[in-house]
């Protein structure tokens, strides 16, 4: 669709340094009103444009060891509070930025519009100054003054790209009720509609300026890549773009991965790969997502947005400032095929502990440099979040910017439902969001991918992590062992762990648990674990742990079988849903009152009591019994089971009960993590289900018990 090329900007490091000293006061090279007239909007504002380099950021980057190698890169200017419009200590005003852009000879200016009422209802680190109901102030004191400045004829020659309100509309889809990530604040914003109204007003007001190109924030694949979120998000974007006078014509495109770390491309595995019969989507890392990187997500989302009614010519931006994931820990090829988790964890370039981790991530690197039209449908790779600016403080810090302390920025925090209760992977000693974070900047330089040319690249890390301790088996079966250990520490941060069986590496993980599968029954094994950091330093091995697997589980041999289809495409919502039917494969009728079926699962965190429902059954829900019981001998993926039975009736030879639609929820409606449940499968048409047991009385007639 468009040719590949790099966003052009002439070498001007010395000029930028000089301007940093000159422009904070009166503007010295202001274009006079009427000096230039706005040209008609172009298809891609980045094509043929020289982008503005922010001297405030550039000076800080150039002052860091090795930072001069990226100090000339263009990035977005953040208007994250009303005071930022007029300038704050160490950062020039919006008008001064625009004057400097004109002085630089730039013809493209990038700015983040970021101050909605009740801003970022799901992350305290990026909370804003306006309360949930202050929509009027957002319009009059924030958007209107910005529009007045951008509309000054002095800047008519600039193509102005606006990034509209990160982390807002996606929260209404995923965090406004009924999920592990939900917050009362997000529920409030969904109910009052002020995110939608604020964005609609911004789109309409700024979109009226002929040289402004609005790009709406659209989260990232690790947020919206599931089918339960993907289309609803596109519908939400359409809704916001058609209120407060806005129309889809006010949206030039969308941006993904804003201020995040999701890999641009995963070169060593695809979402369609399978390992030993298990799809990559079943891995703990992918977690049934339909995308594994930002490029495929952005291109697919663009198609869906056009289907929703946005213009066929909309373009996508991808923030690549901090998603390089380079350094010595970057995989050079596919991971081991011992299990789907080992394969994905060994293949993925994104080395986060969990894709839900977002704050000052350890091991991250500078990504692709700003590039124009790199792929079909992609207007540009951009640096929306300038490298070196903190995502949030690792400890509570008093400030006058309305920014709170979020535990996801604390490296000692063991997480919540949004990140699977894993460590946060955050760097220690971080400042308030938006403030300069030198150690993060140095790590981004060290781990840059593609590698940076020239520069010092920061001080080399040669210190290995401490050895993991307290290695233990938390569960085992005839064919698997689940291990856990106490986290190691490092002078910078631990990037992950290698798990060794009999001295050979059988997998890697970024968390402090691992399940080794494909083992033999009644067999003794010996395990150790080693920690590693982003610089490739490896710890001493933990103390060895001997483990003997269980004897083989029982397998039914009767004349019944179970068929199952998955009616719940999201494995991380707050219900387990399925359709079952029992088939009589024998030659004689079976008394259904003696038949029960067991669907084994694990509830993870949350309530330990359950509710079950029959939504529909060919035999009638009144003839179907159902409830949850704790397994007498818990196994991986099988600490509990849904037991379904029948009040009465006879199942003739060769006959089926017909479909029975069942569901389970915890009494507190907290979320499940079904991906590792023993009985779960992904087929959406009825198929034989050997991991769902069918019992006649107490005898297993079908399936293999865990």
């Amino acid at each position: 669709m468009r040719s590949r090329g790099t966003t052009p900007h002439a070498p001007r490091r010395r000029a930028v340094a000089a301007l940093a000293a000159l422009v904070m006061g009166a503007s010295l090279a202001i274009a006079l009103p009427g000096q230039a007239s706005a040209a008609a909007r172009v298809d891609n504002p980045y094509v043929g444009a020289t982008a503005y380099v922010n001297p405030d950021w550039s000076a800080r980057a150039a002052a860091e060891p090795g930072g001069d190698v990226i100090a000339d890169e263009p990035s977005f200017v953040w208007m994250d509070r009303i005071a930022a419009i007029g300038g704050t200590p160490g950062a020039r005003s919006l008008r001064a930025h625009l004057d400097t852009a004109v002085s630089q000879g730039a013809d493209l200016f990038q700015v983040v519009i970021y101050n909605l009422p009740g801003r970022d209802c799901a992350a305290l680190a990026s909370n804003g100054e306006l309360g949930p109901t202050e929509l009027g102030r957002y319009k009059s004191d924030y958007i209107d003054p910005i529009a007045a400045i951008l509309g000054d004829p002095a800047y008519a020659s600039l193509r102005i790209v606006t990034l509209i309100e990160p982390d807002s509309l996606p929260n209404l889809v995923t965090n406004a009720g009924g999920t592990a990530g939900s917050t009362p604040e997000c529920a409030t914003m969904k109910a009052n509609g002020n995110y939608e109204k604020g964005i609609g007003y911004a789109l309409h007001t700024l979109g009226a300026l002929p040289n402004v190109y609005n790009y709406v924030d659209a989260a990232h694949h690790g947020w919206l890549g599931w089918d339960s979120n993907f289309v609803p998000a596109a519908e939400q974007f359409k809704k916001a773009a058609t209120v407060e006078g806005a129309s889809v014509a006010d949206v030039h495109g969308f941006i993904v991965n804003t201020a995040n770390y999701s890999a641009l491309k995963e070169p060593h595995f695809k979402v369609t790969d399978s390992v030993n019969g298990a799809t990559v989507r079943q891995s703990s890392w992918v977690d049934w997502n339909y995308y594994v990187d930002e490029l495929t997500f952005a291109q697919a989302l663009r198609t869906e947005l056009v289907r929703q009614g946005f213009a066929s010519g909309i373009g996508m931006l991808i923030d690549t400032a901090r998603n390089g994931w380079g350094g010595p820990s970057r995989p050079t090829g596919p991971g081991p095929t011992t299990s789907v988790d080992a394969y994905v964890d060994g293949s993925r370039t994104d080395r986060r502990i969990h894709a839900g981790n977002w704050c000052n991530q350890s091991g991250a690197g500078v990504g692709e440099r700003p590039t124009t039209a790199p792929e079909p449908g992609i207007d540009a790779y951009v640096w929306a979040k300038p490298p070196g600016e903190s995502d949030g403080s690792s400890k509570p810090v008093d400030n006058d910017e309305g920014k709170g302390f979020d535990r996801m920025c604390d490296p000692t925090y063991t997480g919540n439902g949004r990140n699977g209760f894993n460590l946060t992977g955050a760097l220690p000693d971080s400042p308030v969001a938006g403030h300069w974070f030198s150690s993060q900047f140095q790590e981004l330089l060290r781990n840059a991918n593609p590698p940076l040319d020239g520069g010092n690249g920061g001080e080399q890390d040669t210190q290995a992590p401490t050895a993991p301790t307290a290695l233990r088996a938390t569960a085992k079966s005839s064919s698997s062992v689940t291990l856990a250990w106490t986290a190691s520490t490092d002078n910078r941060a631990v990037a992950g762990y290698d798990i060794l069986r009999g001295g050979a590496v059988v997998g890697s993980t970024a968390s402090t648990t691992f399940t080794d599968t494909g083992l033999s029954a009644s067999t003794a094994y010996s395990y150790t674990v080693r920690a590693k950091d982003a610089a490739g330093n490896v710890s001493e091995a933990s103390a060895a742990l001997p483990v003997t697997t269980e004897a083989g589980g029982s397998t039914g041999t009767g004349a019944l079988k179970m068929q199952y289809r998955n009616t719940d495409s999201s494995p991380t919502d707050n219900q387990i849903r399925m359709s079952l039917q029992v088939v009589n494969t024998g030659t004689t009728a079976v008394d259904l009152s003696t038949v029960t079926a067991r669907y084994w699962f694990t509830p993870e965190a949350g309530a330990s009591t359950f509710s079950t429902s029959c939504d529909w059954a060919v035999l009638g829900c009144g003839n179907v019994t159902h409830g949850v019981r704790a397994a007498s001998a818990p196994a991986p993926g099988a600490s509990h089971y849904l037991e379904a039975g029948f009040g009465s009736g006879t199942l003739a030879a060769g006959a089926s009960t017909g479909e029975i639609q069942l569901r389970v929820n915890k009494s507190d409606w907290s979320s499940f993590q079904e991906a590792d449940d023993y009985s779960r499968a992904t087929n959406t048409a009825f198929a034989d289900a050997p991991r769902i047991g069918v019992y006649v009385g107490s005898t297993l007639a079908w399936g293999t018990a865990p």
Side-chain angles (χ1 to χ4, degrees), residues 234-316:
E235 293 170 342
Q236 179 67 69
F237 300 153
K238 172 72 173 301
K239 181 179 179 183
T242 52
V243 298
E244 296 291 316
S247 73
V248 293
D250 292 315
V251 178
H252 199 78
F254 290 79
I255 180 168
V256 301
N257 204 45
T258 300
N260 211 270
Y261 299 86
S262 296
L264 176 66
K265 301 176 184 178
E266 284 291 1
H268 304 309
F269 77 105
K270 303 184 297 296
V271 75
T272 53
D273 290 348
S274 295
V275 177
N276 301 326
T279 70
V280 158
R281 293 186 63 229
Q282 292 173 266
S283 67
S284 297
W285 173 256
V286 179
D287 189 23
W288 297 99
N289 203 309
Y290 280 99
Y291 305 94
V292 298
D293 58 34
E294 287 305 290
L295 179 58
T296 56
F297 171 71
Q299 291 172 325
L301 181 59
R302 180 184 178 279
T303 299
E304 176 59 29
L305 290 164
V306 171
R307 193 182 73 83
Q308 290 291 335
F310 288 94
S312 60
I314 60 169
M316 307 296 288

Side-chain angles (χ1 to χ4, degrees), residues 106-451:
D107 44 25
L108 186 139
F109 181 81
Q110 303 172 105
V111 59
V112 179
I113 306 301
Y114 187 47
N115 200 31
L116 275 176
R119 188 180 75 193
D120 205 340
C121 55
L124 296 173
S126 45
N127 283 168
E129 63 185 345
L130 300 180
T133 62
E134 292 189 272
L135 179 63
R137 191 176 175 210
Y138 175 77
K139 294 178 178 180
S140 63
D141 294 1
Y142 181 69
I143 293 297
D144 289 351
I146 290 175
I149 294 170
L150 298 185
D152 190 322
Y155 314 125
S157 62
L158 291 171
R159 300 173 185 174
I160 299 174
V161 170
T162 60
L163 193 171
I164 304 296
E165 296 294 354
D167 299 340
S168 54
L169 297 177
N171 277 323
L172 300 185
V173 177
T174 61
N175 299 325
T179 69
S182 296
T183 69
E185 293 80 6
C186 289
T188 295
M189 299 316 299
K190 184 171 184 176
N192 68 23
N194 282 346
Y195 278 1
E196 296 155 344
K197 295 171 187 175
I199 288 174
Y201 186 81
L203 289 172
H204 175 61
T205 305
L206 300 175
L209 303 175
N211 58 328
V212 168
Y213 298 77
N214 289 323
Y215 288 79
V216 178
D217 180 76
H220 54 89
H221 87 275
W223 190 343
L224 299 180
W226 289 270
D227 56 357
S228 56
N229 301 338
F230 189 80
V231 173
E235 293 170 342
Q236 179 67 69
F237 300 153
K238 172 72 173 301
K239 181 179 179 183
T242 52
V243 298
E244 296 291 316
S247 73
V248 293
D250 292 315
V251 178
H252 199 78
F254 290 79
I255 180 168
V256 301
N257 204 45
T258 300
N260 211 270
Y261 299 86
S262 296
L264 176 66
K265 301 176 184 178
E266 284 291 1
H268 304 309
F269 77 105
K270 303 184 297 296
V271 75
T272 53
D273 290 348
S274 295
V275 177
N276 301 326
T279 70
V280 158
R281 293 186 63 229
Q282 292 173 266
S283 67
S284 297
W285 173 256
V286 179
D287 189 23
W288 297 99
N289 203 309
Y290 280 99
Y291 305 94
V292 298
D293 58 34
E294 287 305 290
L295 179 58
T296 56
F297 171 71
Q299 291 172 325
L301 181 59
R302 180 184 178 279
T303 299
E304 176 59 29
L305 290 164
V306 171
R307 193 182 73 83
Q308 290 291 335
F310 288 94
S312 60
I314 60 169
M316 307 296 288
L317 305 178
I318 303 177
D319 185 359
T320 59
R322 305 182 303 172
N323 68 348
W325 295 105
S329 63
R330 183 179 175 88
T332 58
T337 56
T338 51
S339 70
V340 70
D341 280 330
Y343 174 73
V344 171
D345 286 339
S347 300
R348 59 185 172 93
T349 61
D350 186 338
R351 304 313 298 171
R352 285 178 292 177
I353 296 171
H354 189 276
N357 289 351
W358 54 266
C359 192
N360 300 322
Q361 289 300 284
S362 169
V366 168
E368 289 278 355
R369 268 49 101 200
T371 306
T372 296
E375 298 281 352
I378 310 300
D379 280 353
Y381 298 152
V382 298
W383 283 9
K385 178 75 168 181
E389 294 188 1
S390 174
D391 295 318
S393 60
S394 54
K395 299 175 183 177
V397 176
D398 290 335
N399 65 89
D400 60 359
E401 301 172 30
K403 297 168 184 175
F405 167 57
D406 196 301
R407 289 296 306 277
M408 290 300 292
C409 299
D410 176 0
T412 69
Y413 181 48
T414 53
N416 52 43
R418 297 178 218 163
N419 80 331
F421 298 94
N422 287 289
L423 287 167
T424 65
L427 291 168
D429 304 319
S430 58
V432 169
H435 290 218
W436 191 254
F437 189 9
S438 177
S439 60
Q440 182 205 49
F441 184 85
Q442 288 295 312
E443 183 153 325
L444 292 170
L445 292 185
R446 281 193 299 273
N447 296 323
N449 190 74

Side-chain angles (χ1 to χ4, degrees), residues 481-513:
V481 171
T482 298
L483 304 169
W485 55 90
T486 300
S488 299
T489 59
D490 187 58
N491 63 317
R492 291 199 169 123
V494 174
Y497 300 87
D498 289 331
I499 296 81
L500 296 84
R501 183 202 323 135
V505 175
V506 293
S508 299
T509 181
S511 68
T512 54
T513 62

